[in-house]
Amino acid sequence: METNDIISLARALGAAIQQDEAYIKMRTAEQLSEEDEQLQELIESYNTKRMMINIEASKADRDDEKMQALNKDMRRIYAGVMSNEHMKAYNAAKREFDEKLQKVIGIINNSALGDDPETTDPLTGGAGCSGNCSSCGGC
């Protein structure tokens, strides 16, 4: 098989990934999060507080009470962001997609190390890895 064939197969895999239900679900949840004005305002407020904390922290005469108040506000805003229904849906969909993508990457990596692509376990290392790193001599 030529290099161009492998690249073509990688592009086809990329296209297949973008057609996968987990990918579509993640992208839909991402779009809904981006369209949620309340969520976007919370994210903007969070980023502003974080920037204010960084500015205050870099001062030679920083005000510890102000830092505590800013941190408290930032944690409150963060809780609001994370409790938003669109953000929760996006995080769940992203986690599902990431798990699937890690399996795909694991199969490719293990196969490149000599494992049988049909039987390799994407959750362990390749080339006959037992999953127990203490006995590993390196791949």
Side-chain angles (χ1 to χ4, degrees):
M1 182 175 292
E2 292 187 30
T3 301
N4 288 339
D5 294 337
I6 293 172
I7 300 300
S8 294
L9 288 170
R11 292 186 189 285
L13 177 59
I17 287 169
Q18 291 179 346
Q19 298 302 313
D20 186 80
E21 183 181 328
Y23 175 84
I24 293 168
K25 185 177 173 182
M26 178 190 67
R27 293 304 302 253
T28 301
E30 179 180 33
Q31 183 176 351
L32 290 172
S33 291
E34 290 173 358
E35 293 171 355
D36 184 331
E37 290 180 24
Q38 182 181 14
L39 175 58
Q40 292 307 310
E41 288 172 10
L42 283 169
I43 292 171
E44 185 177 329
S45 181
Y46 173 82
N47 288 333
T48 300
K49 289 289 181 194
R50 192 173 64 183
M51 185 175 60
M52 291 170 68
I53 289 170
N54 288 338
I55 291 169
E56 187 64 31
S58 67
K59 291 180 179 178
D61 62 337
R62 90 171 171 211
D63 182 341
D64 288 336
E65 285 184 31
K66 185 175 183 180
M67 286 288 295
Q68 288 178 358
L70 288 169
N71 273 312
K72 183 178 178 182
D73 283 348
M74 189 176 74
R75 284 192 299 273
R76 179 186 49 79
I77 295 166
Y78 181 79
V81 168
M82 299 312 288
S83 67
N84 177 283
E85 292 304 314
H86 288 131
M87 181 57 79
K88 288 196 282 189
Y90 170 72
N91 283 334
K94 178 141 178 38
R95 193 169 28 257
E96 177 185 342
F97 175 73
D98 286 348
E99 287 172 6
K100 185 175 278 190
L101 186 60
Q102 287 305 310
K103 288 178 184 176
V104 170
I105 291 168
I107 291 169
I108 292 169
N109 283 335
N110 292 357
S111 299
L113 293 172
D115 277 9
D116 180 349
E118 297 296 323
T119 60
T120 189
D121 181 352
L123 302 178
T124 65
C129 176
S130 68
N132 181 356
C133 296
S134 66
S135 65
C136 185
C139 292

